[in-house]
Structure formats: structure tokens, C-alpha cells
Amino acid sequence: MSKQADRVWAAWLAAVGVSFGVLEWRAYRRPDYGHTLTATSKRWLGIRPRRPWRSAGIAGLVGALAWLAVHIVVDGGQQQGA
């Protein structure tokens, strides 16, 4: 990968980090609970409050995280320039 591509990805990651920080800071300052990423994710996944799709939501989250870990850690032989 080129240094330019590294800079673009680093800038994107920094923008995501800053926007996450701003949204979380604003959510924590609210007097009512439920606006953080964690609380919103739990609501969407059916964890809290408990919803009928809770098991599917948890399975989807665990599956996505497992896929991401394998995708990053395991070398699938698809690397260019390595």
C-alpha cells in the first residue's frame, strides 16, 4: 500500500474517532439515559429492552465480531505487495 493510501485511511479513522467522541460526549451530558452508542446498540439488537429478536441480534453481533477478528488476523493469501 502507498503512503498516500495510509494517510487517507488514517484521516478517515481520525474523523470517525472525533465524530464518535462528540456524539458520546453529547449523549453523556443528557439527563436521560439511552443515547450512547452502547445503549442504542442494545436497543437495536433487542437486548435492552428485551425483544423477540434478541437471540438473532446477539448472534449477528458475535458473528460480525468473529468475522472481523478472523479477517484481520488470518492471512488469506490475498495481500498485495506484502
Side-chain angles (χ1 to χ4, degrees), residues 57-79:
I58 292 171
L61 175 64
V62 170
L65 294 176
W67 170 85
L68 180 62
V70 170
H71 178 70
I72 290 174
V73 173
V74 175
D75 181 11
Q78 300 295 323
Q79 294 183 9

Side-chain angles (χ1 to χ4, degrees), residues 19 41 73 78 80:
S19 65
S41 297
V73 173
Q78 300 295 323
Q80 297 177 1

Side-chain angles (χ1 to χ4, degrees), residues 2-61:
S2 70
K3 289 186 187 259
Q4 181 181 0
D6 288 346
R7 283 191 292 270
V8 169
W9 280 113
W12 175 82
L13 190 57
V16 168
V18 168
S19 65
F20 170 77
V22 169
L23 291 171
E24 283 288 299
W25 178 74
R26 291 183 67 197
Y28 274 116
R29 294 197 60 206
R30 292 179 65 123
D32 54 332
Y33 174 78
H35 300 280
T36 62
L37 179 60
T38 298
T40 301
S41 297
K42 286 179 180 182
R43 191 171 57 251
W44 288 352
L45 294 170
I47 296 169
R48 187 174 298 153
R50 190 179 198 107
R51 300 286 187 209
W53 61 86
R54 180 176 190 254
S55 295
I58 292 171
L61 175 64

